Amino acid sequence: MQSNVPLTPFIIITVIAIAVISAGCTAPVPEPQVSPSMTPLPSQACDCPQLVFSDPEFAFELQRTLAAAYSGEADIGECLATASRIREGDFESWYTEWKKTADHFRHAGDASLAAGHNVSAREAYYRAATYYRTAEFFLHGNPSDPRIVDTWLDSRNAFRDALALDTVPYEIVAIPYGNTTLPGYFYKVDNSGIPRRLLIVQTGFDGCQEELHPYAMEGIRRGYNVLTFEGPGQGEVIRVQHIPFRADWENVIIPVVDYAAGRPDVRRDSITLWGISLGGYLAPRGAAYEPRIRALVADAGTYDIGQNLLEGMKRSGGPAANMTERELQEWLKSDPASFNSAIREMMAADTGTRWMNEQ
């Protein structure tokens, strides 16, 4: 049931983080190849460097994986070497090559652990977790593909093996939610049980909470306990429980805060919610109905998702090229069959549109 708690004042901090990563290779990178089924658009708007790939979506996801190098959960050389083996725009090639790299570091971690080299094992497991997660990213065109859950589990298991070798105290938690639970990690500054400020971090449209580990560690270093979780439509909740997204995100946030506020190591007067990517849209909705949230970070990155879709349709040419957003809405209402046909044409020509609709 939707809460009727009125909107209360809180701090809204909008963070726009743009990470530009540049690197050189001593060996030549093979010329990108285009899958026969893909016809690149003549002009692509891309707000990220075209590193290795000319395909904007592949370039962006490579950049996203490279960003994990900051926390030691990826390596720039390993990422570039993997990317150089991938066929441009080919989802299967993406999966195969990242899976090979992930398997390599999974085995390296196991070997290090068996030899008593716990630090090396931990580092290898964190990188394996990142690379498995990257491998799985473009598999969702067929929701019944068993590799989706298998590879996600490989990523989560590697991550948890790394956590077990790390020095930061943590708990794997289950947050009551309706007739089920939401998965979470509760990271602690220490095991003293002293009530501390709490940072709740949530992911967005396509992320898993294990990817939030570096964010959590930034909170720990600043004296916050940190709770990450996955809600409907995210991570384990969609892959295993098959619970889709919901618009009334307050009915997700309120149970999460209920759980957090019930812990003796949380200061109930100092709870911050940080929503990343689509979470930057969902978190403000949740916070509007939850007065116990005293600060909000709306880290969406994209200001207007609808405008992005409109620009993609215009780039694709055809009947949408010169339409306004209102005209597109009218087209969808009056002739959904032809509208959907146009979307399918876009999916064939634009990797990003294909991924967004398949996800």
Side-chain angles (χ1 to χ4, degrees):
M1 183 173 67
Q2 181 168 316
S3 169
N4 292 317
V5 177
L7 180 67
T8 56
F10 45 74
I11 302 169
I12 300 181
I13 308 168
T14 302
V15 179
I16 301 177
I18 302 175
V20 178
I21 302 172
S22 61
C25 298
T26 56
V29 177
E31 189 69 23
Q33 299 179 20
V34 179
S35 171
S37 63
M38 298 293 294
T39 303
L41 298 179
S43 174
Q44 290 278 12
C46 182
D47 59 359
C48 63
Q50 292 189 349
L51 187 62
V52 180
F53 301 109
S54 60
D55 182 283
E57 194 65 31
F58 273 36
F60 178 80
E61 288 308 317
L62 172 59
Q63 180 184 341
R64 178 177 178 174
T65 303
L66 281 165
Y70 167 80
S71 60
E73 298 183 23
D75 176 85
I76 292 174
E78 294 159 8
C79 291
L80 294 178
T82 303
S84 71
R85 303 193 304 264
I86 295 172
R87 292 188 298 274
E88 188 87 21
D90 188 321
F91 289 2
E92 284 296 319
S93 177
W94 178 277
Y95 166 79
T96 298
E97 297 305 331
W98 283 110
K99 177 71 160 49
K100 286 179 183 176
T101 300
D103 285 342
H104 172 82
F105 285 98
R106 171 82 240 192
H107 298 325
D110 291 343
S112 293
L113 185 63
H117 304 312
N118 288 2
V119 172
S120 296
R122 181 184 70 220
E123 292 176 350
Y125 287 148
Y126 274 135
R127 302 210 304 273
T130 297
Y131 301 149
Y132 280 126
R133 187 169 59 245
T134 302
E136 186 259 8
F137 190 78
F138 289 113
L139 287 180
H140 294 257
N142 175 14
S144 62
D145 187 337
R147 296 176 299 175
I148 294 173
V149 173
D150 290 347
T151 311
W152 165 78
L153 274 173
D154 287 339
S155 178
R156 190 182 72 171
N157 291 341
F159 176 80
R160 290 185 175 181
D161 287 344
L163 271 189
L165 298 170
D166 216 329
T167 57
V168 174
Y170 71 96
E171 298 173 26
I172 298 172
V173 301
I175 301 168
Y177 173 75
N179 296 323
T180 184
T181 59
L182 303 178
Y185 295 98
F186 192 90
Y187 302 98
K188 297 180 279 188
V189 173
D190 53 40
N191 283 316
S192 67
I194 295 173
R196 297 185 185 275
R197 297 174 296 172
L198 179 68
L199 175 62
I200 301 174
V201 190
Q202 72 154 86
T203 186
F205 180 59
D206 55 26
C208 295
Q209 64 173 326
E210 289 77 17
E211 189 177 10
L212 303 177
H213 180 252
Y215 299 80
M217 294 305 99
E218 294 298 332
I220 292 293
R221 283 191 279 272
R222 289 160 176 80
Y224 288 82
N225 287 335
V226 181
L227 173 65
T228 67
F229 75 95
E230 291 167 344
Q234 300 172 330
E236 176 184 337
V237 183
I238 187 63
R239 288 167 175 80
V240 178
Q241 300 186 54
H242 306 294
I243 302 175
F245 276 109
R246 58 187 300 172
D248 54 346
W249 202 250
E250 66 273 18
N251 290 311
V252 178
I253 292 300
I254 290 171
V256 171
V257 176
D258 284 342
Y259 166 80
R263 293 186 60 106
D265 49 3
V266 168
R267 279 181 48 189
R268 297 169 184 81
D269 64 343
S270 187
I271 298 176
T272 297
L273 175 62
W274 183 359
I276 296 168
S277 192
L278 181 63
Y281 290 88
L282 298 173
R285 167 80 188 226
Y289 291 88
E290 179 44 89
R292 291 171 293 182
I293 294 174
R294 306 302 292 273
L296 171 69
V297 182
D299 188 2
T302 298
Y303 179 73
D304 187 336
I305 295 174
Q307 185 63 31
N308 284 7
L309 179 60
L310 176 63
E311 290 172 359
M313 295 190 75
K314 287 184 174 182
R315 290 198 307 271
S316 70
N322 298 308
M323 285 188 175
T324 65
E325 187 169 354
R326 181 176 294 276
E327 287 170 337
L328 280 173
Q329 292 171 351
E330 290 301 321
W331 181 20
L332 174 59
K333 291 178 183 178
S334 63
D335 192 353
S338 66
F339 182 89
N340 288 335
S341 177
I343 292 292
R344 283 190 288 271
E345 290 179 8
M346 284 179 60
M347 291 171 64
D350 182 9
T351 305
T353 304
R354 177 185 170 194
W355 164 80
M356 183 172 65
N357 283 276
E358 289 182 346
Q359 183 75 13

